[in-house]
């Protein structure tokens, strides 16, 4: 118990519990996971909100993310500066969205951001190509990739503008049977 | 529904946005000096008269600073655009009409807040500012109610915001600050709400609500801590994907159910019997017969569940038919019967409930096949994978699935030599049916043989356990055989898996029912035998009685030693023993299979690989995969046996609990140590209910024989809690007659009347029919709607294409026919654009950008139109180039924007909202 008090104040913990989908225990566990990435950088006392940022190299080396083809995107989307360098808040944010309890809409919103590689708020062909290539490790021929991308746009593009907006994406993803079960990371 | 929620979310969202904005703006406002001063004055006034405060605030604020607010609103927009909060902006555009309302609300809120802040500041010096309030004080009473309601509403809104905070796609910093603010607001005002007598109550209620929330949270924390094996399963999941983990979750669920059953049976049957029943050796049914006593403690005998174990509380025969036992007057036979029924009742309820929950979750998904590629692309990666090997497999499987879909897409109607394939499939099915029949016959034969063995003396170990060994062997070798045969069929793997599951299920079921039929034969034989023994016993007892009467004239006849009394075969215990044996041998075979088939194999492959002529790891033996379907089916059938056997062997559930507990650890270890992830990593989300369905089927099938024996076979005359009765269920009638008042007995007799039961059943059937019809109608309506949506979508696409085409054609015509009219058209449009642009492009920067990106031809065309001065166009001959039509087609749009007639968005959105609902 004494340990808990020194890291966060009870108010901080309560606030974190309100802002994430985690219980107190999980928040502390996440904190330790975060700290284990760089014990020399992260202090054990967060009551006065130290300004600590871990570089992407450390975040991306977590076993939960290590094998994920989209790890860099995930880190970029959730980091404050957009380069994948994360504070503890970003870190909690990330795993809160990717936790089991997060609602479909929230997940869909962030999934959209993750797949939107060039940050233009549309998933366009180049984003789709990147996604396919990451998913298949460039195993498909360019024609196949092109075909797949065309099919995706044909299927999901409701307003026919040749790229997927957030609404198109949500419309599509909300029906996907596996989206909730696959778009989450347990920690 | 979803849209409503979304709208609500955005509403709150917007309001909070402007709140934060207002805070940021506060500095500026203060520099203008006017606003804050007025506010502070007002606030001090309000300090005294709270109800009045808000209203006035609002009105004044409305009058005084609409411009400022609008400015700040616009700023918010821009800021948002900068943030890239595209969706919100869009939503906002769409809800332009509702927006204003919202903004006015925001204003109110803001002013409230400011008022509050001002209030804080003025607390010290409130006395000097009493002058201005008298003017407004007369209308305070009339307004207060309304105000109160409004304030209450605001507080409620804040609370909603707090509870929905975690659903917001914001950065943590922002969430934290908004949260703090909202909390402060709630803190401040909820106590102030209500007045006079109601105030205290309200405050108390609020406090209790707060406590309650805290308690709930703590309880949730506690609950999550209580779920066992979470980390273990998580570890497996990250290595093997969700499909393997689903087996372990299923196992855990099963463990929970069995634990409850175990509690029921142990708490209500076994423990009362052990504590309060007559002790061992006091009566014939609780004593090992004389002939067996010499060997009753041998391990070989105990291992067969004979000897002392057979005459223990683990089996049916041990229980006495005394109506009540002990000083509690516990009605044990009644309890035994009721527990036996409630085991089934509870299991049925739990299985159906979890099935219904799963179904609820899965119906939301629907089974559209509109999005094959999209789903493959965006949902096929399992974010849980945290192991390079699994990731490799996943990459491979995604690639192959993409390739498969592409091939399907490209040549869906190519099917070479359909006759050969059909022939092979028929052949495979014939082979498998032969296998099934063969295995059924084999079991029947073996069970028959075992009956003859059981009559013979000194038979070997093999003969005694032949049935179990044969069944286990069949269970071990048939599934791979089926898999080999299934290779002939060349089905798609997913369909193949279903077939495989179905076939293994049929095999197990056939085996189980053959076993049951043979057991029935056995039981009937025993029943015949029992009649004979009954007579013998009576004669013997009579003879003993007579002889003892002859020897001594004592009143009480010296009782025969319980071990010497001849006894019937007690078919219930026999059945119980059969099931326990089957379960135990199943456990052993499972564990040995894991040990040999997985662990030893893994060790062999791993260590012998150094000195072998081919690569063992990649080549033939390789490592074993975790066989999900086999394991789940094994678990399901094991549970079926438990359900069937638990009535005749109350201890069976205890054995099963132990089994599940050990297999959780053992299998987790085995999976982690010696298995490799599946080559074809498939997901578990859908098959879950399939497993549950199997479980339900098994539950029903295992209910049948038990119900049959209870309802139509006479219980043994000298063992078990129902001995002496004609049928087991008579215990209920007896209880009703003896323990309940007369009128209840009467009611029961009326209720049990067939004349009442048959109509009740009829009614239920009709209800089922009706509900079924209703659900079908809903489904049809659903399908209809889906089709309509699809149609609409197509139509939209077509319309849009047509529109561009039409427009371009029209413009072409215009180009060709009347170049002179252009002069007039062009400047106008250019003007229109210029007028529009400050309003349109700047506040909706995103959108403008989007249109730029929309497709270079369009925008290029537009720019081309805009840049050259009109007179140039006049002098130039009209050039109907390839892209020119687009530019013309594009023109009407910007003008249409403010009216909300943007074709793409306007039409795309209703679709979405329909779908979301």
């Amino acid at each position: 118990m004494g340990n808990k008090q020194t890291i966060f104040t009870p108010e901080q913990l309560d606030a974190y519990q309100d802002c994430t989908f985690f219980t107190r225990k999980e928040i502390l566990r996440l904190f330790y996971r975060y700290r284990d990435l760089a014990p020399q950088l992260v202090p054990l006392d967060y009551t006065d909100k130290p300004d600590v940022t871990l570089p992407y190299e450390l975040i991306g080396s977590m076993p939960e993310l290590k094998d994920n083809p989209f790890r860099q995107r995930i880190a970029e989307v959730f980091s404050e500066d957009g380069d994948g360098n994360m504070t503890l808040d970003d870190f909690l944010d990330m795993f809160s969205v990717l936790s089991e309890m997060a609602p479909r809409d929230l997940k869909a919103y962030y999934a959209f951001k993750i797949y939107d590689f060039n940050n233009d708020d549309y998933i366009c062909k180049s984003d789709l190509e990147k996604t396919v290539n990451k998913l298949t490790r460039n195993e498909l021929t360019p024609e196949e990739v092109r075909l797949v991308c065309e099919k995706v746009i044909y299927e999901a593009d409701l307003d026919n503008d040749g790229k997927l907006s957030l609404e198109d994406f949500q419309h599509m993803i909300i029906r996907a049977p596996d989206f909730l079960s696959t778009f989450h990371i347990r920690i | 529904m979803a849209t409503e929620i979304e709208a609500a979310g955005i509403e709150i969202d917007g309001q909070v946005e402007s709140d934060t904005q207002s805070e940021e703006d506060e500095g500026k406002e203060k520099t203008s000096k006017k606003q804050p001063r007025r506010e502070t004055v007002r606030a001090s006034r309000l300090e005294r008269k709270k109800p009045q405060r808000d209203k006035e605030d609002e009105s004044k604020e409305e009058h005084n600073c609409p411009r400022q607010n609008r400015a700040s609103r616009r700023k918010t927009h821009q800021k948002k655009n900068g943030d890239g909060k595209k969706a919100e902006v869009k939503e906002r555009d769409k809800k332009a009409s509702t927006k204003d309302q919202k903004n006015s609300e925001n204003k109110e809120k803001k002013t409230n807040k400011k008022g509050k802040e001002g209030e804080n500041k003025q607390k010290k010096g409130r006395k000097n500012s009493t002058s201005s309030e008298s003017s407004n004080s007369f209308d305070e009473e009339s307004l207060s109610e309304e105000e109160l309601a409004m304030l209450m509403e605001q507080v409620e809104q804040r609370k909603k915001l707090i509870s929905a905070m975690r659903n917001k796609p914001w950065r943590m910093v922002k969430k934290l600050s908004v949260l703090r603010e909202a909390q402060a607001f709630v803190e401040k005002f909820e106590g102030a709400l209500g007045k006079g007598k109601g105030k205290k109550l309200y405050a108390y209620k609020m406090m209790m609500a707060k406590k309650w929330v805290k308690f709930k949270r703590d309880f949730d924390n506690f609950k999550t801590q209580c779920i066992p094996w979470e980390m273990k399963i998580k570890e497996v999941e990250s290595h093997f994907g969700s499909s393997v983990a689903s087996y372990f979750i299923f196992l855990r669920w099963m463990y929970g159910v069995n634990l409850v059953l175990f509690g029921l049976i142990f708490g209500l049957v076994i423990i009362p019997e052990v504590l309060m029943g007559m002790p061992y050796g006091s009566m014939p049914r609780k004593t090992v017969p004389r002939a067996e006593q010499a060997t009753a403690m041998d391990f070989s005998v105990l291992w067969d569940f004979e000897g002392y174990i057979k005459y223990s509380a683990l089996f049916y025969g041990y229980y006495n038919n005394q109506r009540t036992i002990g000083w509690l007057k516990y009605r044990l036979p009644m309890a035994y019967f009721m527990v036996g029924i409630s085991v089934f009742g509870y299991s049925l309820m739990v299985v159906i409930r979890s099935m219904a929950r799963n179904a609820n979750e899965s119906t939301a998904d629907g089974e559209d096949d509109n999005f094959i590629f999209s789903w493959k692309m965006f949902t096929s990666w399992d974010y849980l994978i945290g192991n390079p090997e699994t990731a490799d497999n996943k990459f491979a499987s995604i690639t192959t699935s993409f390739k498969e879909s592409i091939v399907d897409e490209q040549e869906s109607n190519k099917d070479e030599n359909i006759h050969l394939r059909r022939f092979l499939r028929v052949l495979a099915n014939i082979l498998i049916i032969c296998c099934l029949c063969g295995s059924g016959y084999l079991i029947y034969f073996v069970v028959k043989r075992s009956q003859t063995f059981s009559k013979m003396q000194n038979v070997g170990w093999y003969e005694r356990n032949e049935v179990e060994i044969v069944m286990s062997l069949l269970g071990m070798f048939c599934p791979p055989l089926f898999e080999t045969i299934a290779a002939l069929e060349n089905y798609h793997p997913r369909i193949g898996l279903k077939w495989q599951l179905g076939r293994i299920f049929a095999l197990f079921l056939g085996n189980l029912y053959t076993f049951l039929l043979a057991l029935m034969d056995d039981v009937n034989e025993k029943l015949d035998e029992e009649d004979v023994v009954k007579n013998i016993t009576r004669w013997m007892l009579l003879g003993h009685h007579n002889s003892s009467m002859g020897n001594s004239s004592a009143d009480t006849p010296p009782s025969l030693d319980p071990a010497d009394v001849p006894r019937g075969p007690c078919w219930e215990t026999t059945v119980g023993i059969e099931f326990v044996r089957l379960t135990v041998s199943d456990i052993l075979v499972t564990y040995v299979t894991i040990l040999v088939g997985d662990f030893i194999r893994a060790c062999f492959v791993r260590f012998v690989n150094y000195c072998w002529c081919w690569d063992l790891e990649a080549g033939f033996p390789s490592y074993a995969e975790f066989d999900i379907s086999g394991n789940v089916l094994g678990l399901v059938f094991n549970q079926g046996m438990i359900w069937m056997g638990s009535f005749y062997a109350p201890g069976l559930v205890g054995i099963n609990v132990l089994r599940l507990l050990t297999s959780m650890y053992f299998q987790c270890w085995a999976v982690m140590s010696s298995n490799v992830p599946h080559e074809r990593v498939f997901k578990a989300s859908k098959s879950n209910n399939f497993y549950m369905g199997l479980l339900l089927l098994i539950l029903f099938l295992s209910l049948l024989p038990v119900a049959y024996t209870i309802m139509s076979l006479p219980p043994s005359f000298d063992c078990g809690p129902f001995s002496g009765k004609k049928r087991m269920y008579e215990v209920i009638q007896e209880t009703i007659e003896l323990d309940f008042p007369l009128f209840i007995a009467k009611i029961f007799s009326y209720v049990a009347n067939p004349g009442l039961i048959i109509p009740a059943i009829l009614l239920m059937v009709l209800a089922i029919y009706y509900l079924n019809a209703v659900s079908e109608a809903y489904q049809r309506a659903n399908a209809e709607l889906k089709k309509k949506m699809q149609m609409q979508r197509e139509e939209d696409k077509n319309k849009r294409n047509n529109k561009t085409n039409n427009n371009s054609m029209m413009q072409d015509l215009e180009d060709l026919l009347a170049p002179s009219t252009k002069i007039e058209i062009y400047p106008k449009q250019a003007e229109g654009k210029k007028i529009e642009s400050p309003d349109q492009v700047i506040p909706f920067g995103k959108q403008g950008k989007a249109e730029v990106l929309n497709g270079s031809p369009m925008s290029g065309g537009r720019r081309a139109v805009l840049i050259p001065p009109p007179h140039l166009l006049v002098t130039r001959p009209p050039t109907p180039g390839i892209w020119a039509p687009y530019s013309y087609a594009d023109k009407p749009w910007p003008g249409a924007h403010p009216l909300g007639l943007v074709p793409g968005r306007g039409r795309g959105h209703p679709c979405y909202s329909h779908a979301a609902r």
Side-chain angles (χ1 to χ4, degrees):
Chain A
M1 281 306 274
N3 221 357
K4 282 176 194 171
Q5 251 92 51
T6 53
I7 300 168
F8 299 112
T9 60
E11 290 79 40
Q12 268 178 314
L13 271 179
D14 270 345
Y16 278 137
Q17 283 184 75
D18 272 326
C19 292
T20 64
F21 293 94
F22 295 124
T23 61
R24 191 171 48 214
K25 199 178 145 206
E26 285 164 327
I27 288 169
L28 286 173
R29 196 166 74 220
L30 275 173
F31 169 76
Y32 285 118
R33 288 298 304 272
Y34 183 71
R35 190 172 177 274
D36 285 346
L37 294 177
Q40 70 283 6
L41 277 178
V42 183
L44 259 177
D45 180 18
Y46 252 76
T47 46
D48 53 347
K49 297 187 182 153
D51 186 24
V52 179
T53 309
L54 292 191
Y56 164 70
E57 286 73 35
L58 283 175
I59 301 286
S61 69
M62 289 181 67
E64 279 82 4
L65 290 176
K66 189 166 57 52
D67 297 300
N68 197 322
F70 304 109
R71 59 183 176 281
Q72 182 146 16
R73 274 306 296 167
I74 297 174
E76 281 170 14
V77 164
F78 284 100
S79 63
E80 185 100 55
D81 55 1
D83 291 333
N85 308 322
M86 298 191 123
T87 62
L88 178 65
D89 285 353
D90 296 334
F91 191 76
L92 285 175
D93 242 353
M94 172 166 83
F95 283 108
S96 170
V97 169
L98 289 171
S99 78
E100 239 168 326
M101 268 88 73
R104 210 182 269 259
D105 289 339
L106 185 68
K107 278 177 184 272
Y109 175 78
Y110 277 103
F112 179 78
K113 290 191 93 169
I114 286 171
Y115 294 123
D116 177 19
F117 283 84
N118 50 12
N119 286 332
D120 65 349
D121 292 312
Y122 284 102
I123 295 183
C124 52
K125 275 217 167 131
S126 67
D127 295 329
L128 289 175
E129 272 163 24
K130 260 185 205 161
T131 311
V132 173
N133 284 332
K134 276 196 190 293
L135 273 178
T136 58
R137 286 189 179 159
N138 302 321
E139 293 275 319
L140 295 182
T141 61
E143 287 89 63
E144 284 170 330
V145 171
R146 197 175 41 75
L147 186 80
V148 169
C149 295
E150 271 169 14
K151 287 301 287 181
V152 169
I153 287 190
Y154 171 76
E155 285 168 359
D157 181 21
L158 292 178
D159 47 13
N160 220 17
D161 56 359
K163 55 200 176 183
L164 306 186
S165 64
L166 179 60
E167 278 128 51
D168 296 337
F169 186 77
Q170 280 178 331
H171 177 84
M172 179 269 295
I173 209 88
I174 249 160
R175 279 161 189 69
D178 301 323
F179 175 61
L180 277 190
S181 61
T182 54
F183 194 73
H184 81 96
I185 295 179
R186 273 205 221 185
I187 192 151
Chain B
M1 268 312 277
T3 43
E4 279 170 34
I5 290 166
E6 198 174 304
I10 279 155
E11 199 172 308
I12 294 168
D13 187 10
Q15 137 207 334
V16 173
E17 277 286 340
S18 63
D19 275 348
T20 48
Q21 187 70 38
S22 76
E23 273 195 350
E24 285 165 25
D25 285 345
E26 219 157 14
K28 288 171 209 162
E29 284 175 32
K30 263 178 192 162
T31 53
S32 72
K33 292 255 162 112
K34 223 176 161 186
Q35 198 72 13
R37 188 165 298 160
R38 184 179 298 125
E39 271 180 31
T40 50
V41 171
R42 189 174 51 240
S44 64
R45 192 170 62 221
L46 291 173
E47 175 71 288
R48 290 217 187 146
K49 301 197 168 141
K50 246 170 207 152
Q52 180 193 344
R53 177 195 54 200
D54 290 286
K55 186 70 181 181
E56 210 193 26
D57 248 1
E58 175 187 88
S59 56
K60 276 203 178 176
E61 193 71 53
E62 290 266 1
H63 289 307
N64 286 333
C65 57
R67 200 143 298 168
Q68 229 166 358
N69 268 320
R70 183 159 299 163
S72 77
R73 207 195 320 164
R74 180 145 302 162
K75 220 169 275 169
T76 327
H77 275 301
Q78 283 166 3
K79 192 179 123 201
K80 278 204 168 186
N81 290 346
D83 275 357
K85 301 217 165 179
K86 185 73 210 317
E88 285 163 30
V89 175
K90 272 200 171 179
E91 290 289 340
R92 223 165 271 203
D93 298 343
K94 256 167 243 159
K95 302 193 175 118
S97 56
T98 54
K99 195 67 220 176
D100 283 347
Q101 284 179 346
K102 261 175 251 159
N103 268 313
S104 66
E105 273 176 31
N106 295 348
K107 267 176 254 161
E108 288 161 26
K109 220 144 277 167
K110 190 161 80 170
T111 51
N112 278 340
K113 186 164 288 174
K114 273 178 207 153
K116 184 182 61 187
E117 281 159 12
E119 183 186 328
N120 288 341
K121 278 172 217 156
Q122 286 296 313
K123 256 180 186 168
K124 303 152 204 165
R126 75 176 93 143
K127 276 168 199 161
N128 53 4
S129 59
T130 48
S131 56
S132 58
E133 79 222 27
S134 54
S135 58
N136 282 325
S137 60
F138 59 90
D139 58 2
E140 86 185 59
E141 283 305 310
S142 60
L143 292 174
S144 62
E145 283 293 308
E146 220 175 295
E147 295 227 348
L148 213 60
M150 212 175 59
L151 195 61
M152 189 98 94
E153 197 182 300
Q154 281 170 17
V155 169
E156 283 307 311
Q157 235 165 1
R158 293 303 166 110
K159 272 190 198 156
K160 225 180 277 167
L161 174 67
I162 289 175
S163 63
M165 185 63 70
R166 57 190 73 166
N167 295 345
K168 297 268 177 287
W170 299 336
R171 299 240 166 266
M172 184 68 86
V173 183
K174 186 174 160 201
K175 275 197 270 191
L176 283 176
S177 69
V178 172
L179 175 78
R180 216 174 303 121
E181 234 169 74
Q183 272 173 345
F185 183 87
V186 170
E187 196 102 334
K188 197 107 209 157
F189 283 100
E190 70 181 0
L193 282 176
K195 42 182 183 172
K197 218 169 62 181
K199 188 172 172 176
K200 249 186 193 157
L201 189 69
Y202 188 79
Y204 180 71
K205 257 202 297 196
M206 281 301 127
M207 201 183 71
M208 286 319 284
K210 227 182 275 173
K211 285 262 161 68
W212 174 241
V213 167
K214 185 152 170 47
F215 171 75
K216 262 204 300 201
R217 182 175 286 171
D218 284 348
F219 189 69
D220 280 349
N221 285 355
F222 175 70
K223 249 193 334 200
T224 48
Q225 269 175 335
C226 285
I227 297 173
W229 303 311
E230 195 66 29
M231 295 309 283
K232 239 182 170 45
I233 291 176
K234 193 234 141 191
E235 203 182 329
V236 171
E237 192 169 27
S238 64
H239 278 80
F240 292 85
S242 52
S243 54
V244 175
S246 81
Y247 165 72
F248 285 98
I249 291 171
F250 188 58
L251 180 63
R252 186 173 65 181
W253 183 84
M254 210 66 127
Y255 179 72
V257 172
N258 274 286
L259 219 53
V260 173
L261 297 184
F262 177 76
L264 263 179
I265 290 179
F266 263 64
L268 295 177
V269 173
I270 294 185
I271 290 179
E273 170 69 27
V274 168
L275 288 182
M276 298 185 289
M278 292 168 81
Y280 173 82
S282 58
M283 37 187 327
R285 70 185 65 178
K286 298 193 181 191
T287 319
V288 180
R290 184 75 66 197
E292 293 173 26
Q293 259 176 8
T295 58
M297 212 46 201
D298 292 359
F299 182 73
S300 65
V301 172
L302 290 182
W303 185 243
D304 286 337
F305 299 97
E306 297 282 341
Y308 282 109
I309 292 187
K310 185 177 174 183
Y311 299 96
S312 73
L314 293 182
F315 291 105
Y316 171 92
Y318 183 80
Y319 294 84
N320 197 359
N321 62 346
Q322 255 179 312
R323 269 201 71 227
T324 59
I325 55 169
W327 52 273
L328 277 175
K329 302 279 177 213
Y330 190 75
R331 283 164 176 74
L332 190 80
M334 177 73 185
Y336 195 99
F337 191 79
M338 292 313 284
V339 164
I341 289 176
S342 57
V343 161
F344 282 103
Y346 173 77
S347 316
L348 212 59
M349 200 187 72
V350 164
V351 171
I352 286 182
R353 213 187 62 171
S354 75
M355 267 185 90
R357 207 185 300 135
N358 282 351
N360 266 348
E361 274 167 22
S362 63
T363 44
D365 305 334
E367 54 281 334
D368 268 332
D369 42 356
N370 294 334
F371 299 118
I372 305 167
F373 280 94
S374 315
W375 287 348
K376 276 221 170 77
M377 182 171 298
F378 294 119
T379 67
S380 57
W381 182 258
D382 194 344
Y383 279 61
L384 284 168
I385 292 173
N387 170 294
E389 218 172 319
T390 320
D392 282 345
N393 286 340
K394 191 74 192 174
F395 281 124
S397 83
I398 289 174
T399 311
T400 42
S401 83
F402 266 126
K403 278 189 175 152
E404 271 173 17
S405 304
I406 290 170
V407 170
D408 280 356
E409 195 63 36
Q410 279 171 345
E411 36 192 331
S412 51
N413 47 2
K414 179 198 151 199
D415 208 350
E416 92 294 351
N417 208 348
I418 195 160
H419 294 297
L420 178 65
R421 184 171 287 181
R422 268 188 199 151
F423 169 72
L424 281 178
R425 283 182 184 174
V426 169
L427 183 70
N429 275 317
I430 289 174
L431 281 178
I432 281 170
I433 289 172
C434 287
C435 279
L436 288 176
C437 292
S439 74
Y441 177 71
L442 188 61
I443 290 178
Y444 189 75
F445 174 73
V446 168
V447 172
K448 274 279 168 205
R449 219 158 76 110
S450 80
Q451 282 162 7
T452 58
F453 281 140
S454 67
K455 277 177 203 128
M456 294 195 303
Q457 297 302 313
N458 33 329
V459 283
W461 177 84
Y462 171 74
E463 276 86 2
R464 261 182 288 126
N465 293 301
E466 199 180 38
V467 183
E468 286 80 13
I469 292 171
V470 167
M471 279 183 74
S472 303
L473 284 181
L474 279 176
M476 218 158 82
F477 286 112
C478 275
L481 186 67
F482 287 172
E483 211 156 335
T484 322
I485 294 174
L488 279 178
E489 294 178 306
N490 200 11
Y491 273 125
H492 187 275
R494 197 173 299 123
I495 303 168
L497 181 77
K498 280 241 166 91
W499 276 95
Q500 171 80 352
L501 273 173
R503 279 165 186 161
I504 300 175
F505 191 80
L507 171 77
F508 281 12
L509 205 65
N511 293 357
L512 204 65
Y513 259 66
T514 330
F515 172 74
L516 278 180
L517 284 181
L519 211 61
M520 261 331 171
D521 282 356
D522 203 16
V523 166
N524 283 332
E525 226 165 80
K526 288 240 159 89
L527 282 173
D528 293 343
E529 193 185 323
E530 203 177 65
D531 285 340
V532 180
V533 177
K534 211 189 225 167
N535 288 336
I536 293 174
T537 322
R538 191 178 302 141
W539 280 112
M540 189 162 170
L541 278 176
L542 215 63
H544 177 77
H545 201 75
N546 287 341
S547 65
S548 61
M549 283 290 269
N551 285 345
S552 64
S553 54
D555 276 342
T556 52
S559 60
L560 195 63
D561 187 85
D564 293 330
V565 177
R567 49 192 77 177
C570 196
W571 60 267
E572 292 96 337
T573 302
T574 316
V575 170
I577 287 179
E578 280 303 323
F579 276 110
V580 173
R581 265 195 216 155
L582 207 59
T583 309
V584 170
S585 72
D586 185 43
I587 297 172
L588 290 182
V589 168
T590 313
Y591 286 3
V592 168
T593 315
I594 290 172
L595 213 58
V596 175
D598 292 352
F599 185 65
I600 306 276
R601 178 170 156 189
C603 287
F604 176 78
V605 170
R606 177 81 180 74
F607 294 114
V608 181
N609 201 22
Y610 297 119
C611 48
W612 202 262
C613 40
W614 70 81
D615 188 6
L616 285 174
E617 286 185 347
F620 162 59
S622 151
Y623 296 106
E625 283 180 357
F626 187 77
D627 175 20
I628 304 167
S629 58
N631 272 304
V632 169
L633 282 180
L635 202 60
V636 165
F637 272 87
N638 173 57
Q639 193 58 37
M641 274 185 306
I642 303 301
W643 277 323
M644 270 193 266
S646 67
F647 191 75
Y648 296 118
L652 189 56
V653 180
I655 294 173
N656 194 40
V657 166
L658 279 183
R659 178 231 168 109
L660 293 177
L661 190 67
T662 48
S663 78
M664 188 79 199
Y665 288 101
F666 187 58
Q667 287 195 308
C668 267
W669 166 79
V671 162
M672 296 302 285
S673 69
S674 48
N675 280 9
V676 287
H678 279 262
E679 220 169 282
R680 205 178 65 216
V681 184
F682 51 87
K683 284 174 229 101
S685 63
K686 275 194 177 160
S687 48
N688 217 353
N689 232 1
F690 188 64
Y691 295 152
M692 280 292 174
L694 292 184
L695 196 64
L696 188 68
L697 187 62
I698 278 291
L699 177 56
F700 182 70
L701 291 177
S702 59
L703 182 61
L704 283 183
V706 175
Y708 171 74
T709 52
I710 287 178
M711 298 308 282
S712 59
L713 290 186
S716 302
F717 74 101
D718 64 345
C719 69
F722 312 115
S723 53
K725 299 193 174 54
K726 275 216 181 75
R727 293 282 183 267
M728 291 179 189
Y729 60 84
E730 276 177 12
V731 70
I732 302 258
Q733 293 168 356
E734 188 191 74
T735 309
I736 289 172
E737 275 165 26
L738 296 179
D739 292 340
F740 284 97
L742 199 63
F743 73 96
I744 291 185
K746 256 189 189 161
I747 290 174
F748 268 104
S749 71
Y750 285 137
V751 168
N753 192 358
L756 214 63
I757 290 178
I758 290 172
I761 291 176
L762 256 173
L763 193 71
M764 277 201 273
V765 169
L766 288 181
I768 289 173
Y769 175 76
Y770 171 71
L771 290 178
N772 201 26
V774 166
S775 82
E776 256 171 35
Y778 279 138
Q779 260 169 13
R780 247 203 313 276
N782 222 345
E784 197 78 7
L785 281 177
K786 219 176 252 173
K787 216 171 26 183
K788 239 181 227 169
M789 256 172 52
Q790 185 74 25
M791 295 256 286
Q792 201 179 354
R793 204 182 129 195
E794 297 287 316
E795 209 174 278
D796 284 345
K797 274 190 180 175
N798 288 342
K799 219 191 274 175
R800 177 153 195 179
N801 289 340
N802 285 346
K803 201 172 179 183
T804 41
N805 284 342
N806 280 348
N807 275 354
S808 65
M809 293 229 292
M810 290 281 282
Q811 296 291 344
D812 269 344
L813 275 179
E814 275 179 34
D815 271 352
L816 290 173
L817 289 177
S820 58
T821 52
K822 278 235 153 93
I823 313 166
E824 283 148 29
I825 296 171
Y826 264 117
K828 259 184 206 164
Q829 281 171 346
E831 253 174 35
K833 215 159 267 180
K834 263 171 208 163
I835 292 164
E836 226 85 74
S837 54
D839 264 355
Q840 275 301 312
V841 179
I842 293 176
F844 302 95
K846 267 292 135 162
Q847 200 177 308
K849 193 178 167 193
E851 263 169 31
V852 171
L853 286 173
N854 209 348
S856 50
M858 282 186 181
S859 53
R862 195 205 290 166
R863 295 281 175 271
V865 173
L866 270 174
I867 291 165
H871 65 268
L872 266 179
L873 271 171
V874 183
T875 53
R876 220 177 257 175
T879 49
I882 300 164
W883 299 121
Y886 278 98
S887 73
Y888 305 138
D890 193 31
K891 245 170 265 161
W893 295 6
H897 268 262
L899 300 172
L901 287 176
V902 186
R905 279 200 344 241
R907 256 183 279 120
H909 195 70
C911 265
Y912 169 61
S913 62
H914 268 298
R917 222 166 271 140

